[in-house]
Amino acid sequence: MKDLKGLYSALLIPFDENGEVKEEGLRQVIEHNINVSKIDGLYVNGSSGENFLLNTAQKKQIFKFVKEVVGDRVKLIAQVGSLDLNEAVELAKYATELGYDSLSAVTPFYYPLSFNEIKHYYKTIIDATDNSMILYYIPFLTGVKISLDQFAELLEDEKVIGVKYTAADFYQLERFRKRFPNKLIWSGFDEMLVQAAITGVDGAIGSTYNVNGQRSQEIFRLAKEGKVAEAYELQHEANDVIEKVLELGLYQTLKEILKVKGIDAGTCKKPMKSFDPAKLAEVEKLVKDYNL
Ligand code: SI3
């Protein structure tokens, strides 16, 4: 199996006003990620891909198109988690046949499911293919919390190679690292990359790496080498960017940054609102000031 460590962009997807995928724009976003952001891989159909607003055909269209454009140039992880377990299985098979390096699935959300139900969900997806699985843990959006012992149960399956951990619980992260030294952890909060790197994660997956990849690679490298003060200098810069992006609207503003750089990053899928054009000058200033 490929070494899946490293920094991944949670791929942004350009949409037109009707909510259809703009394939030529997507090609440009992918090329920017590979050639300019210098990421190690792409996390496809995650939160940043507005996945939970898409129908099955669109999810498949994106998996297929991304693989065609990327080939084997960078690593590819397919997020297939869905409240419709049949859809999750269908997508898992589809992405595996396309050659995705690993699957990932968000914890099932909305309905308060028992841990046994969550286990069954993962087992069903995992058993459908021979691909590996990365748990996608993002409790602030899903409302689903998993204890260390419950993680241990999910990780018993050898095909579960690790977790994409989007939580700021650094105590649990430390306990996880100590207890499962052979499993992989990708940090999910770009604004806490230094802290995650010091805690021993193997990589990171995030939305802002689409536009701030090289600086983030440097943060990760410096923190891993123990050059914490230097890493923090760059994290401060990254967090200036992230703070502004969150203020103006996360995915809309990341797309707007790409547009300022000449990339047709489209708009967000409704009901997400579009970028407010009155704020364009603020984005242009951000790109200039932080050399994005
Ligand atoms: O596509 C994805 O699944 C993600 O990008 C998850 C990732 O953890 C991002 N979280 C969300 C909700 O978008 C972060 O990269 C996040 O955008 C960033 O840290 C800014 O808060």
Side-chain angles (χ1 to χ4, degrees):
M1 201 179 85
K2 262 188 206 168
D3 176 3
L4 294 179
K5 293 176 185 170
L7 209 78
Y8 291 64
S9 282
L11 186 63
L12 294 166
I13 305 294
F15 293 99
D16 67 18
E17 291 303 327
N18 298 318
E20 298 301 332
V21 179
K22 298 184 81 169
E23 290 195 344
E24 193 41 46
L26 179 52
R27 182 191 307 279
Q28 293 171 21
V29 176
I30 293 167
E31 292 301 336
H32 180 81
N33 266 300
I34 297 174
N35 302 318
V36 180
S37 288
K38 308 272 186 203
I39 44 77
D40 300 302
L42 294 171
Y43 188 80
V44 184
N45 282 341
S47 314
S48 308
E50 297 163 57
N51 173 75
F52 304 104
L53 306 178
L54 305 184
N55 59 43
T56 312
Q58 287 178 312
K59 293 175 189 178
K60 285 186 168 179
Q61 176 191 4
I62 293 166
F63 282 139
K64 184 164 185 285
F65 187 77
V66 172
K67 181 62 187 172
E68 278 169 7
V69 172
V70 170
D72 290 321
R73 288 185 289 164
V74 296
K75 297 170 269 199
L76 291 176
I77 300 172
Q79 197 296 123
V80 300
S82 168
L83 283 185
D84 176 354
L85 190 48
N86 292 335
E87 187 201 45
V89 164
E90 184 181 336
L91 294 173
K93 288 180 178 167
Y94 188 73
T96 300
E97 277 160 23
L98 287 172
Y100 274 70
D101 297 300
S102 182
L103 303 172
S104 179
V106 72
T107 51
F109 50 91
Y110 191 80
Y111 298 105
L113 300 172
S114 69
F115 181 63
N116 276 341
E117 288 168 319
I118 294 173
K119 253 175 87 173
H120 171 262
Y121 162 91
Y122 277 113
K123 185 168 168 32
T124 306
I125 304 172
I126 291 164
D127 288 351
T129 79
D130 58 6
N131 212 340
S132 56
M133 168 61 68
I134 299 163
L135 310 172
Y136 180 8
Y137 184 58
I138 182 161
F140 89 100
L141 287 184
T142 58
V144 178
K145 288 210 167 188
I146 299 185
S147 70
L148 207 64
D149 286 342
Q150 290 172 337
F151 270 122
E153 282 192 46
L154 295 172
L155 292 164
E156 264 171 26
D157 189 326
E158 280 187 2
K159 283 159 85 180
V160 181
I161 58 171
V163 62
K164 167 172 159 28
Y165 191 86
T166 306
D169 184 344
F170 285 94
Y171 176 55
Q172 190 187 47
L173 189 62
E174 179 277 328
R175 291 288 82 193
F176 191 109
R177 179 70 298 166
K178 166 97 190 321
R179 185 156 164 189
F180 312 111
N182 299 324
K183 299 288 182 178
L184 298 170
I185 310 172
W186 291 265
S187 160
F189 269 129
D190 313 3
E191 48 276 61
M192 295 171 234
L193 184 57
V194 169
Q195 294 91 331
I198 295 166
T199 311
V201 301
D202 303 284
I205 297 170
S207 63
T208 65
Y209 308 145
N210 284 273
V211 303
N212 195 22
Q214 289 196 35
R215 186 181 276 114
S216 305
Q217 286 280 24
E218 196 60 6
I219 293 171
F220 195 66
R221 185 185 65 78
L222 289 166
K224 282 286 185 188
E225 289 174 1
K227 297 175 180 161
V228 177
E230 287 172 64
Y232 253 115
E233 284 306 312
L234 293 180
Q235 184 78 67
H236 290 319
E237 292 177 7
N239 287 359
D240 290 346
V241 174
I242 292 172
E243 187 176 42
K244 191 70 186 169
V245 164
L246 291 173
E247 177 199 318
L248 296 179
L250 178 56
Y251 308 130
Q252 297 89 334
T253 307
L254 293 173
K255 288 179 182 183
E256 212 56 30
I257 291 171
L258 290 171
K259 282 192 197 167
V260 168
K261 296 182 68 67
I263 293 159
D264 182 9
T267 189
C268 287
K269 193 166 187 305
K270 290 183 181 61
M272 269 191 215
K273 65 177 167 49
S274 309
F275 184 78
D276 176 1
K279 306 280 185 186
L280 179 58
E282 294 179 48
V283 172
E284 287 170 340
K285 184 167 172 2
L286 200 64
V287 171
K288 187 163 169 285
D289 289 353
Y290 291 90
N291 194 22
L292 297 175

